[in-house]
C-alpha cells in the first residue's frame, strides 16, 4: 500500500525554454530539407516582389507633373496624377472657396473618432454621446449650408472621398438602429410582426444592390406620386440604409440568439418589462457578441458605397475614373494602375482602421467576463 | 390546511405540444409555508413552479397568486413577477454587470428606488449571504456556490413575498451545496413562503412543512416530511425514495 502524503509539494516554475534566435530559426524554418527548400523559395519570391514594388512605387515613380506627358516611363508609378488631382479626390466638386467648411467637417469627424479611441474615466460615455449627436448635425449644416448665413451647396455637388465618407457613415449609422428593430421584430412572439420583418429582410437581402439603387432613383418617382420631389441623394441614402439594415438585422439576430434563455428568464422573473430587459440585459450582451460580424458588415458597406457611380455620382473611385478620362491624363495604362493602387490604398486604410477598432472592442469585452 | 392562501392552483393543465406536462393540478399554499416538491425527472416539478411567475403559461384551469389571477393581462404579470423571487439551477446572473449591479438593477428599474438606496439594500443582502466582500467582482470570477448565493440575494433584494427555488443545488460541486442550503435554511427561519424543487432530502426533512411528490404531471402524494420519507403512502413514492436514498 502507498503511504499517505503528509506534506504538500510547493509549486515549481515550468522548465526553462530558452531557444535563442538560431534554434528558433532552425525549428521554424529549416527543420528538414523539404522545409528548407520551401523557406528558400518563399524568401526568393518575397525579395523579388519587394524589389519590384520598391522600384515601381518609389525609385522609378514620378511624383509631380501636370499631365500624362510627365509620366513617360511605364516601369514606375505615376503619383503625379494623384498629387495633381488630390483636391478633386478629397473635396469632389465642392466649390473651391468653401473648402474650409469641408475642412471643419473632416476635423470634427477626426475628433469624433478620437473620442472613441481614448477613455476619459467617468465622463467617457457622456462625451462620446455628445460627439456622436453633435457631429451629424454640424456636418449637415456645414456641408449643405442654408443655415446661419452659410451658402447653400447642392448635395449633388458632393463627391470624392467626402461623398464616400458621407454615404458610408449615413448607411452605417442609419442601418444599425433599423437593423436592430428588424432583428427584435423577427424574434417577436407575434407571428404577424415576425413574418413581416422576415420577408422585409429576405427581400432586401435577396435583390442585387445595383437593382435597388436604380429602382429607388429611377423608378420611385413613377410609383409614388411626388416621389420625384425627394432629392436624388436622399433617395440613394434611403436605399443604402434599407438594404444594409437587412444585413445588420441578421448580424444582430446572431448576437441575440447567442444569449442563453436563462438571461431572459431571470430578467422576466425580476419583473423587468420587455424593453428594459432588452435595453439593460439582453442587448448589451448581444451587441458584444455581434462585434466581429458587425464590423465585417460595416467594412462591406464602406466598400460598396462605390455603386453610387451607377446613378451618376462621383465618389472617390468615380472621381478617379473621371480624372483618368480627362484630356490631361488620358493615356498609357500605367497611369491607370497607379490611380487604382492609390484608390485601393485609401479604401484599405479606412477598412483596416475599422478592423483594428473592432479588435480593441473584442479584447475589452473579454476583460469584463 | 392553510388558513391564508397565497398561491392557489385550481385544476391546472398544461401541454408542451401534445405532451401533457401538468394534469389537473390542485394546490393551495399558505402564507409562510415551506413546500418541497420532488419527483423523477420530467415529472413537471419545474414547470409547476414556473407557472407561478408565468415563465410558463398554463392552458386551462386557474392560478391565483396574491389574490391576482394569472391571465393574459400583462399589467398583472409584471407586478406578480416582482413579488415572486426565483432562483434557477444555472444561476442566470447577468455576466456583464458586477455583483452589486446585478442586485441593484431590479430595484432600480422595477421598484424605482434611487441607485444609492438600492446599493445600500444590496449590500445588506450580500452581507446576509456572506459575500459582501465580492460586490465589485463579475459573476464569472466567482465559484458556483458564490454565484448561487448572489442569485438568491438578487431575488431577496426585491423584497418578494414568495420565493421559488428550481433545483438550485443541482449544478453545484458537492462541497458548495452546503453554503447554498444554509442560506435557504436561514430564509426559511424568517417565515418566507418558499416552494423548493430539490432532491436534497436532508433539506426537505428539516425545513419543509409539506412535501409534494409529483410523477407524470400529477401530484401523486402530499404529506408531512416525516410521514413522506418514513412511510410513503403511494407505491411510486416508495420506489422514488428507495432510489434517491439508495446511494447514500
Amino acid at each position: 500500500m502507498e503511504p499517505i502524503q503528509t506534506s504538500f509539494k510547493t509549486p515549481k516554475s515550468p522548465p526553462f525554454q530558452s531557444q535563442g534566435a538560431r534554434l528558433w530559426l532552425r525549428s521554424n524554418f529549416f527543420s528538414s530539407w523539404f522545409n528548407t527548400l520551401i523557406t528558400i523559395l518563399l524568401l526568393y519570391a518575397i525579395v523579388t516582389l519587394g524589389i519590384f514594388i520598391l522600384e515601381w512605387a518609389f525609385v522609378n515613380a514620378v511624383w509631380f507633373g501636370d499631365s500624362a506627358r510627365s509620366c513617360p516611363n511605364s516601369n514606375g508609378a505615376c503619383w503625379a496624377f494623384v498629387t495633381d488631382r488630390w483636391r478633386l479626390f478629397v473635396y469632389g466638386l465642392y466649390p473651391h472657396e468653401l473648402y474650409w467648411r469641408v475642412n471643419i467637417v473632416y476635423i470634427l469627424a477626426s475628433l469624433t473618432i478620437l473620442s472613441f479611441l481614448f477613455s476619459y474615466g467617468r465622463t467617457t460615455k457622456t462625451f462620446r454621446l455628445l460627439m456622436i449627436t453633435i457631429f451629424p448635425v454640424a456636418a449637415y449644416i456645414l456641408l449643405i449650408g442654408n443655415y446661419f448665413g452659410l451658402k447653400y451647396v447642392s448635395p449633388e455637388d458632393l463627391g470624392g472621398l467626402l461623398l464616400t465618407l458621407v454615404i458610408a457613415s449615413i448607411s452605417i449609422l442609419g442601418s444599425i438602429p433599423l437593423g436592430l428593430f428588424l432583428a427584435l421584430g423577427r424574434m417577436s412572439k407575434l407571428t404577424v410582426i415576425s413574418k413581416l420583418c422576415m420577408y422585409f429582410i429576405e427581400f432586401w437581402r435577396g435583390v442585387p444592390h445595383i437593382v435597388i439603387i436604380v429602382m429607388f432613383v429611377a423608378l420611385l418617382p413613377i410609383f409614388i406620386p411626388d416621389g420625384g420631389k425627394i432629392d436624388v441623394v436622399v433617395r440613394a441614402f434611403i436605399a443604402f440604409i434599407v438594404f444594409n439594415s437587412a444585413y445588420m438585422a441578421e448580424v444582430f439576430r446572431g448576437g441575440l440568439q447567442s444569449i442563453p434563455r436563462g438571461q431572459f428568464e431571470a430578467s422576466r422573473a425580476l419583473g423587468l418589462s420587455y424593453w428594459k430587459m432588452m435595453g439593460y440585459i439582453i442587448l448589451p450582451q448581444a451587441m458584444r457578441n455581434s462585434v466581429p460580424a458587425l464590423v465585417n458588415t460595416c467594412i462591406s458597406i464602406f466598400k460598396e458605397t462605390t455603386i453610387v457611380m451607377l446613378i451618376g455620382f462621383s465618389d472617390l473611385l468615380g472621381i478617379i475614373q473621371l480624372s483618368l478620362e480627362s484630356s490631361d491624363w488620358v493615356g498609357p495604362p500605367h497611369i491607370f494602375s497607379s490611380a487604382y493602387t492609390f484608390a485601393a490604398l485609401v479604401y484599405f486604410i479606412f477598412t483596416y482602421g475599422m478592423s483594428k477598432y473592432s479588435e480593441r472592442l473584442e479584447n475589452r469585452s473579454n476583460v469584463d467576463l | 390546511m392553510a388558513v391564508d392562501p397565497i398561491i392557489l392552483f385550481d385544476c391546472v393543465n398544461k401541454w408542451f405540444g401534445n405532451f401533457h406536462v401538468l394534469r389537473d393540478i390542485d394546490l393551495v399554499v399558505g402564507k409562510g409555508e415551506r413546500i418541497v416538491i420532488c419527483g423523477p425527472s420530467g415529472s413537471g416539478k419545474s414547470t409547476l413552479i414556473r407557472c407561478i411567475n408565468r415563465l410558463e403559461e398554463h392552458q386551462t384551469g386557474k392560478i391565483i397568486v396574491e389574490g391576482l389571477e394569472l391571465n393574459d393581462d400583462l399589467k398583472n404579470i409584471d407586478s406578480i413577477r416582482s413579488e415572486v423571487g426565483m432562483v434557477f439551477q444555472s444561476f442566470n446572473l447577468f455576466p456583464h454587470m458586477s455583483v452589486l449591479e446585478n442586485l441593484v438593477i431590479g430595484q432600480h428599474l422595477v421598484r424605482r428606488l434611487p441607485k444609492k438606496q438600492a446599493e445600500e439594500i444590496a449590500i445588506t443582502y450580500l452581507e446576509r449571504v456572506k459575500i459582501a466582500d465580492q460586490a465589485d467582482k463579475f459573476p464569472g470570477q466567482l465559484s458556483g456556490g458564490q454565484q448561487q448565493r448572489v442569485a438568491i440575494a438578487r431575488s431577496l433584494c426585491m423584497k418578494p413575498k414568495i420565493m421559488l427555488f428550481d433545483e438550485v443545488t443541482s449544478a453545484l460541486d458537492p462541497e458548495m451545496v452546503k453554503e447554498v442550503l444554509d442560506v435557504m435554511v436561514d430564509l426559511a427561519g424568517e417565515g418566507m413562503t418558499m416552494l423548493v424543487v430539490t432532491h436534497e432530502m436532508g433539506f426537505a426533512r428539516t425545513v419543509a412543512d409539506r412535501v409534494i411528490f409529483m410523477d407524470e404531471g400529477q401530484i401523486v402524494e402530499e404529506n408531512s416530511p416525516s410521514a413522506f420519507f418514513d412511510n410513503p403512502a403511494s407505491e411510486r413514492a416508495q420506489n422514488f425514495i428507495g432510489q434517491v436514498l439508495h446511494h447514500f
Side-chain angles (χ1 to χ4, degrees):
Chain A
M1 190 146 161
E2 286 290 314
I4 293 165
Q5 191 179 317
T6 49
S7 64
F8 280 96
K9 291 175 179 158
T10 47
K12 294 173 213 140
S13 45
F16 193 50
Q17 290 174 327
S18 156
Q19 283 193 323
R22 250 175 98 182
L23 251 159
W24 181 83
L25 270 177
R26 207 160 100 183
S27 62
N28 282 288
F29 295 99
F30 303 101
S31 56
S32 69
W33 67 267
F34 185 65
N35 283 346
T36 309
L37 186 72
I38 293 177
T39 303
I40 291 170
L41 281 176
L42 280 178
L43 211 62
Y44 175 75
I46 290 170
V47 169
T48 322
L49 197 70
I51 289 174
F52 170 77
I53 290 174
L54 273 176
E55 281 186 344
W56 180 80
F58 297 101
V59 180
N60 298 333
V62 177
W63 293 88
F64 299 100
D66 55 3
S67 72
R69 277 182 303 276
S70 324
C71 301
N73 296 335
S74 60
N75 63 349
C78 182
W79 302 132
F81 171 72
V82 178
T83 51
D84 184 52
R85 293 288 170 139
W86 71 271
R87 276 170 211 276
L88 212 52
F89 299 168
V90 175
Y91 300 98
L93 299 172
Y94 212 80
H96 203 284
E97 68 281 7
L98 298 178
Y99 276 6
W100 62 272
R101 275 158 59 174
V102 181
N103 287 335
I104 296 178
V105 171
Y106 277 132
I107 291 168
L108 275 176
S110 314
L111 287 178
T112 310
I113 290 168
L114 281 176
S115 79
F116 280 86
L117 297 184
F118 298 100
S119 174
Y120 322 90
R122 282 172 157 265
T123 54
T124 307
K125 255 188 193 162
T126 347
F127 186 59
R128 287 177 183 168
L129 206 68
L130 198 74
M131 290 304 281
I132 203 101
T133 38
I134 288 176
F135 173 66
V137 181
Y140 175 82
I141 292 171
L142 280 162
L143 290 180
I144 307 300
N146 226 359
Y147 293 96
F148 307 114
L150 292 173
K151 202 178 146 221
Y152 175 74
V153 177
S154 164
E156 289 170 43
D157 287 340
L158 298 181
L161 183 63
L162 182 63
L163 182 65
T164 299
L165 293 177
V166 167
I167 299 176
S169 27
I170 287 179
S171 313
I172 290 170
L173 294 179
S175 61
I176 284 176
L178 187 57
L180 202 55
F181 279 110
L182 284 171
L184 291 177
R186 185 162 179 178
M187 294 182 75
S188 164
K189 266 195 253 173
L190 302 167
T191 330
V192 184
I193 293 182
S194 86
K195 288 273 174 207
L196 221 66
C197 290
M198 193 183 94
Y199 289 124
F200 184 92
I201 293 167
E202 292 298 344
F203 177 78
W204 295 111
R205 211 169 48 148
V207 179
H209 299 169
I210 294 173
V211 176
I212 298 171
I213 288 283
V214 172
M215 225 165 64
F216 263 81
V217 171
L219 299 181
L220 208 64
I222 302 169
F223 288 133
I224 305 174
D226 290 345
K229 283 187 189 158
I230 307 171
D231 200 280
V232 175
V233 187
V234 177
R235 272 183 268 159
F237 287 159
I238 294 173
F240 268 103
I241 289 175
V242 165
F243 68 66
N244 284 320
S245 70
Y247 292 93
M248 287 292 185
E250 290 301 278
V251 166
F252 290 130
R253 189 165 68 101
L256 283 169
Q257 281 175 344
S258 71
I259 306 300
R261 223 177 61 165
Q263 294 289 310
F264 292 83
E265 290 179 348
S267 317
R268 291 310 236 172
L270 279 178
L272 297 185
S273 66
Y274 175 82
W275 290 110
K276 283 178 178 165
M277 166 177 81
M278 281 300 170
Y280 289 91
I281 310 295
I282 306 301
L283 286 179
Q285 297 182 60
M287 287 294 223
R288 215 167 255 184
N289 295 351
S290 307
V291 166
L294 187 73
V295 173
N296 187 35
T297 307
C298 288
I299 287 176
S300 45
I301 291 176
F302 185 80
K303 292 185 300 176
E304 287 215 347
T305 53
T306 53
I307 62 174
V308 290
M309 284 198 307
L310 282 164
I311 50 170
F313 285 100
S314 306
D315 68 332
L316 180 62
L317 199 61
I319 219 134
I320 287 176
Q321 263 181 4
L322 276 184
S323 304
L324 282 170
E325 288 157 16
S326 70
S327 54
D328 283 345
W329 288 102
V330 75
H334 69 280
I335 299 179
F336 260 73
S337 47
S338 309
Y340 282 103
T341 306
F342 171 72
L345 210 63
V346 173
Y347 280 100
F348 179 76
I349 287 168
F350 280 96
T351 53
Y352 188 67
M354 291 189 214
S355 148
K356 276 285 153 197
Y357 181 66
S358 91
E359 237 170 67
R360 265 181 56 147
L361 278 185
E362 283 170 55
N363 290 340
R364 197 185 307 163
S365 54
N366 289 341
V367 176
D368 291 354
L369 298 177
Chain B
M1 214 6 90
V3 193
D4 190 5
I6 192 167
I7 302 169
L8 187 127
F9 278 65
D10 182 15
C11 202
V12 171
N13 281 281
K14 175 168 179 62
W15 290 263
F16 285 136
N18 284 326
F19 180 61
H20 199 171
V21 255
L22 294 181
R23 305 179 196 172
D24 294 336
I25 300 288
D26 289 309
L27 177 68
V28 182
V29 180
K31 200 168 239 171
E33 241 191 320
R34 299 172 295 260
I35 293 180
V36 163
I37 303 169
C38 60
S41 118
S43 58
K45 317 171 292 261
S46 290
T47 311
L48 179 82
I49 66 165
R50 288 157 63 89
C51 279
I52 296 169
N53 64 352
R54 214 166 162 76
L55 286 183
E56 302 289 355
E57 292 174 17
H58 60 289
Q59 277 121 337
T60 66
K62 222 197 243 182
I63 301 177
I64 296 174
V65 179
E66 280 261 300
L68 291 168
E69 187 178 345
L70 301 191
N71 51 33
D72 290 331
D73 180 4
L74 264 177
K75 275 228 159 81
N76 262 356
I77 289 14
D78 277 345
S79 76
I80 285 172
R81 278 181 177 148
S82 65
E83 301 292 335
V84 181
M86 186 166 202
V87 186
F88 301 86
Q89 181 177 357
S90 51
F91 327 138
N92 294 345
L93 293 176
F94 305 132
H96 60 304
M97 295 178 173
S98 72
V99 166
L100 190 66
E101 288 168 325
N102 262 279
L103 269 67
V104 165
I105 186 105
Q107 302 183 64
H108 183 57
L109 293 179
V110 180
R111 293 273 182 261
R112 298 184 185 286
L113 293 181
K115 279 228 167 113
K116 188 108 186 152
Q117 197 185 339
E119 277 174 16
E120 281 163 15
I121 293 171
I123 292 288
T124 56
Y125 279 103
L126 285 177
E127 275 162 3
R128 257 184 66 179
V129 299
K130 302 187 184 65
I131 208 163
D133 52 328
Q134 315 277 0
D136 293 324
K137 286 200 179 161
F138 283 87
Q141 297 168 306
L142 304 183
S143 74
Q146 289 173 321
Q147 287 193 53
Q148 197 58 294
R149 283 186 282 148
V150 171
I152 294 173
R154 176 174 70 178
S155 291
L156 291 178
C157 273
M158 302 296 287
K159 308 247 163 82
K161 302 212 168 68
I162 301 164
M163 283 290 285
L164 309 173
F165 294 86
D166 190 1
E167 305 208 26
V168 292
T169 55
S170 308
L172 296 175
D173 287 335
E175 77 262 31
M176 291 168 184
V177 170
K178 189 175 173 295
E179 63 186 56
V180 172
L181 288 180
D182 284 349
V183 169
M184 291 165 67
V185 172
D186 273 359
L187 193 62
E190 287 161 27
M192 172 70 76
T193 308
M194 292 166 74
L195 277 86
V196 185
V197 173
T198 187
H199 292 134
E200 294 294 334
M201 293 306 150
F203 175 83
R205 207 185 258 275
T206 49
V207 172
D209 296 317
R210 229 181 334 153
V211 175
I212 288 174
F213 176 71
M214 288 184 73
D215 194 14
E216 294 181 17
Q218 300 150 67
I219 295 180
V220 178
E221 189 169 339
E222 251 185 276
N223 221 330
S224 72
S226 53
F228 178 76
F229 287 112
D230 299 335
N231 201 4
S234 61
E235 199 182 318
R236 278 190 280 188
Q238 284 165 17
N239 286 338
F240 177 74
I241 290 174
Q243 273 161 349
V244 170
L245 297 183
H246 189 71
H247 61 253
F248 285 112

